Amino acid sequence: MTDRRAEAVRALTRNLGHDFRDRSLLEQALTHASVGEGAERDARGRPFIDNQRMEFLGDRVLGLLVADRLMRDFPEADEGDMSARLHALVDKAACARVAERLDVGPAMRLSPGEAKQGGRRREGVLGDAMEAILAAVWLDGGIEAARQVFDHAWQPEFAATPKKALTNPKSALQEWALGQGRALPTYRIVERTGSDHAPTFTVEASVAGYPPLTAQGRSRQDAEKAAATALLQREGVI
């Protein structure tokens, strides 16, 4: 580990507020698949393992923690409203914003090619790493440790979530487009990345006469909803 990256990992640990008993969990969470399993080894000669399995677990941990927080914070919200809020808080863009605030990028282990292409700032890379980090905290310290990191790291996201979340952003975008005298919005898959068990879809949403906008999600449907929401936000509708 270079001195620069070692300092970045120490800074990330301070930002997380969790002192890892098993630091190999954090190292795995920070290792991007581009490194290649076994391509690099730690100080003991053991091959590094990438963070894809951690990401799979972290996605579920995050969903549980968000759902639990929503149940406590919004006792009068109905299921549809809470589902919309949950989607906004667990999507790839939200995870990437959390990662940026915690300075995850400089601490990541990437292949030279991925690093040169801006991987430390890429939304998908950062979002996946943030989920993996949450899983690492869960495995290292249990649910309460994960909850403490989550409550601190996601607080700005809760503060930014609209008081009334959109239950169906695609329908809202359709109504807005028709109200502007435009044709129905269109969606297309720009990219599909990640493993088979944890894919990431990048979808572009378009309304005639307006610049298109892309967003990511765990499924095509989630990515379309995220893109519709982002487009409505950009145009000042919500």
Side-chain angles (χ1 to χ4, degrees), residues 15-18 20 58 60-73 98 102 130-131 133-156 158:
N15 292 340
L16 288 170
H18 178 75
F20 281 86
R60 278 69 184 172
V61 171
L62 177 59
L64 172 62
L65 292 172
V66 171
D68 177 64
R69 174 79 178 266
L70 291 174
M71 287 288 290
R72 290 184 282 114
D73 285 5
V98 172
L102 295 174
M130 193 62 237
E131 290 177 335
I133 290 168
L134 199 58
V137 175
W138 172 287
L139 292 171
D140 188 68
I143 186 171
E144 288 307 319
R147 193 192 310 279
Q148 288 179 13
V149 169
F150 163 77
D151 282 341
H152 162 68
W154 260 262
Q155 184 54 41
F158 276 89

Side-chain angles (χ1 to χ4, degrees), residues 16-36:
L16 288 170
H18 178 75
D19 187 15
F20 281 86
R21 294 175 295 179
D22 183 354
R23 297 192 65 82
S24 69
L25 292 171
L26 178 59
E27 284 298 327
Q28 182 178 345
L30 293 171
T31 301
H32 187 254
S34 64
V35 172

Side-chain angles (χ1 to χ4, degrees), residues 109-215:
R109 179 182 288 106
L110 307 173
S111 70
E114 182 67 29
K116 185 177 293 186
Q117 293 174 14
R120 298 186 192 281
R121 299 181 300 276
R122 189 173 299 171
E123 181 179 285
V125 172
L126 289 174
D128 290 348
M130 193 62 237
E131 290 177 335
I133 290 168
L134 199 58
V137 175
W138 172 287
L139 292 171
D140 188 68
I143 186 171
E144 288 307 319
R147 193 192 310 279
Q148 288 179 13
V149 169
F150 163 77
D151 282 341
H152 162 68
W154 260 262
Q155 184 54 41
E157 297 300 315
F158 276 89
T161 301
K163 292 184 177 180
K164 180 63 176 178
L166 285 176
T167 301
N168 193 331
K170 291 180 65 177
S171 293
L173 180 61
Q174 177 177 313
E175 292 174 7
W176 176 77
L178 293 175
Q180 303 300 309
R182 308 293 181 177
L184 294 177
T186 60
Y187 302 88
R188 71 179 183 91
I189 297 177
V190 176
E191 187 179 29
R192 183 187 187 279
T193 59
S195 59
D196 290 339
H197 70 262
T200 296
F201 290 84
T202 301
V203 166
E204 179 184 86
S206 300
V207 173
Y210 296 86
L213 194 148
T214 61

